[in-house]
Amino acid sequence: MSLIKSFLRGLTPQREISLADWGDAHRWLTSEASAEPGPYRIARMPYLRGIAEALSTHSSYQEVVVMKGAQLGLTELGNNWLGYLITEAPAPILMAMPTEDTVKRNVKIRINPMIESTEVLAELMPPSRVRDSGNNLLEKKFPGGMLMMVGANSPAGLRSVPVRFIMLDEVDGYPTDAGGEGSPIELARARTRTYAKKKKIYIISTPTTKGSSAIEREFETTDQRYFFVPCPECGAVQTLEFEQLRWEPGQHETVQYECAHCRVLIPERKKTVMLNQGQWQPTVEDNVTPGKIGFHINSLYSPYGMYSWAEIARKWDEIQGKHEEMKTFFNTVLGKTWETQGEVPEWERLYE
């Protein structure tokens, strides 16, 4: 029956559907992969729409870069993109993560459950336990293409057959040199050359240290878009910045956001309305690589009821004086690279 459905789907004229609409129509989040299981709804995270639009097949952008904090739904958006490509634009696809172990863990926890719980994917991709399915842990065949998943420390996996679509996840965890053959990102890019303007590369990561962060380098060659939201009192638009959070000492539940324009204190419950009215805006025009778009977003944008401002305030107070935890906070919460500040011995500066 599934073969008949696949055949009939092949006779149907190609329709234009956006990544956002595909996710809403087909994805079901399992309890193993999500803290909020159930039907996927991109409206829960409005800032994802702009990124999803750039990743859609009708978009002319060839490279989409996202420099991010944690708890923002971008992992599931990436998974949606892979499923979307399999059904709407079948072709060879490559997904890379820092190591093969991280890839295998991701496949077991996220990719396989996504395939099994998404009817349109399950029809096209028999489970790997079925004999002669053509699928195994790191390769998933489907009509018109194959999804290949590799560790960035494997040059062989990064430079084999040509691919049209690439997802490079957590690139700041990649080695700077893959087996003596150069940058894993550039090795992967080289695989898309035969597809010219039909290619699309999705590069995503939380950043690490300033000066050595791969995602920061990629982001700096884009138009550097930030998500601007309006103040519910004065209407002035602004990006959400940690420096504007205000709370009583030791009372993290009192946290509010001070508008950078009218100085009114905004309770977090109003964030939902702010996000719904938000828009991505480019911040640079010069030295932008043609066909490349970039987004930056921090964890203050996490939807109401998920990673709260109170949790961020509490974490900030807990890590004072703790160098490594401060670095992690900058990277995973603020989505910023860590830069050593103050006077330190030269050897420490070199080490950082």
Side-chain angles (χ1 to χ4, degrees):
M1 181 63 69
S2 62
L3 290 176
I4 295 174
K5 288 183 178 179
S6 298
F7 175 74
L8 293 175
R9 184 182 293 113
L11 297 179
T12 303
Q14 182 71 26
R15 66 193 188 284
E16 288 287 345
I17 181 173
S18 70
L19 172 56
D21 289 343
W22 186 94
D24 282 353
H26 299 295
R27 279 302 311 278
W28 182 275
L29 302 178
T30 64
S31 57
E32 293 86 358
S34 174
E36 297 184 348
Y40 181 88
R41 293 291 178 263
I42 200 168
R44 182 81 167 99
M45 293 154 281
Y47 49 81
L48 292 181
R49 285 194 178 277
I51 302 171
E53 180 65 20
L55 287 170
S56 297
T57 54
H58 56 257
S59 166
S60 62
Y61 290 109
Q62 295 160 32
E63 293 197 21
V64 180
V65 177
V66 179
M67 181 173 169
K68 66 180 186 68
Q71 305 291 330
L72 292 163
L74 284 153
T75 296
E76 281 307 325
L77 182 67
N79 292 337
N80 283 2
W81 188 56
L82 295 177
Y84 166 77
L85 294 175
I86 289 168
T87 65
E88 306 305 316
I93 306 168
L94 175 71
M95 193 273 279
M97 298 185 77
T99 67
E100 187 171 298
D101 286 342
T102 57
V103 173
K104 290 179 178 178
R105 184 163 57 249
N106 185 64
V107 172
K108 291 177 180 178
I109 295 175
R110 294 186 179 276
I111 302 298
N112 282 346
M114 176 183 72
I115 294 172
E116 293 169 3
S117 64
T118 306
E119 183 179 357
V120 291
L121 295 177
E123 291 175 355
L124 297 176
M125 305 167 71
S128 56
R129 60 180 175 271
V130 176
R131 180 177 296 180
D132 300 326
S133 68
N135 293 328
N136 56 51
L137 189 62
L138 300 180
E139 292 185 354
K140 309 290 184 183
K141 291 183 179 179
F142 51 87
M146 175 188 290
L147 171 61
M148 296 161 280
M149 294 163 283
V150 302
N153 55 347
S154 170
L158 291 169
R159 58 169 166 72
S160 51
V161 298
V163 294
R164 180 181 175 186
F165 302 108
I166 296 179
M167 177 175 167
L168 301 177
D169 195 12
E170 290 300 339
V171 295
D172 269 30
Y174 290 10
T176 56
D177 190 328
E181 297 191 25
S183 162
I185 296 176
E186 294 307 320
L187 286 175
R189 267 199 184 102
R191 294 181 60 172
T192 64
R193 288 174 183 165
T194 56
Y195 286 93
K197 292 187 178 182
K198 292 183 178 180
K199 68 181 180 183
K200 199 175 285 286
I201 304 174
Y202 183 29
I203 307 174
I204 180 173
S205 187
T206 51
T208 50
T209 306
K210 192 169 188 62
S212 63
S213 171
I215 193 65
E216 184 176 57
R217 286 196 301 272
E218 294 293 337
F219 180 68
E220 288 176 345
T221 62
T222 73
D223 55 2
Q224 301 181 34
R225 299 185 177 217
Y226 292 82
F227 199 67
F228 286 76
V229 297
C231 169
E233 296 296 326
C234 70
V237 296
Q238 60 206 286
T239 57
L240 296 181
E241 303 296 339
F242 173 72
E243 292 78 9
Q244 297 301 115
L245 288 184
R246 303 287 182 262
W247 66 91
E248 296 295 327
Q251 300 180 45
H252 305 107
E253 298 305 321
T254 66
V255 67
Q256 298 186 82
Y257 191 89
E258 182 181 62
C259 173
H261 300 276
C262 70
R263 305 300 178 187
V264 70
L265 292 178
I266 306 167
E268 188 172 13
R269 66 177 182 274
K270 294 188 177 183
K271 182 166 63 171
T272 299
V273 174
M274 297 168 70
L275 293 181
N276 285 335
Q277 297 176 355
Q279 291 186 334
W280 287 103
Q281 295 182 18
T283 59
V284 300
E285 296 180 357
D286 300 328
N287 302 316
V288 176
T289 302
K292 193 171 185 178
I293 188 172
F295 303 87
H296 182 284
I297 191 162
N298 63 52
S299 297
L300 271 73
Y301 291 89
S302 185
Y304 185 64
M306 290 181 64
Y307 191 46
S308 69
W309 290 347
E311 290 177 89
I312 293 174
R314 182 178 296 108
K315 174 58 69 175
W316 175 257
D317 284 344
E318 289 175 353
I319 65 176
Q320 294 308 301
K322 302 175 182 178
H323 180 275
E324 286 302 319
E325 292 188 37
M326 186 70 74
K327 178 179 182 294
T328 300
F329 184 88
F330 266 70
N331 295 162
T332 63
V333 177
L334 306 186
K336 294 181 179 180
T337 53
W338 172 256
E339 184 175 10
T340 302
Q341 301 175 355
E343 295 298 322
V344 295
E346 184 61 18
W347 71 268
E348 288 191 27
R349 193 180 302 280
L350 291 171
Y351 183 83
E352 290 299 331

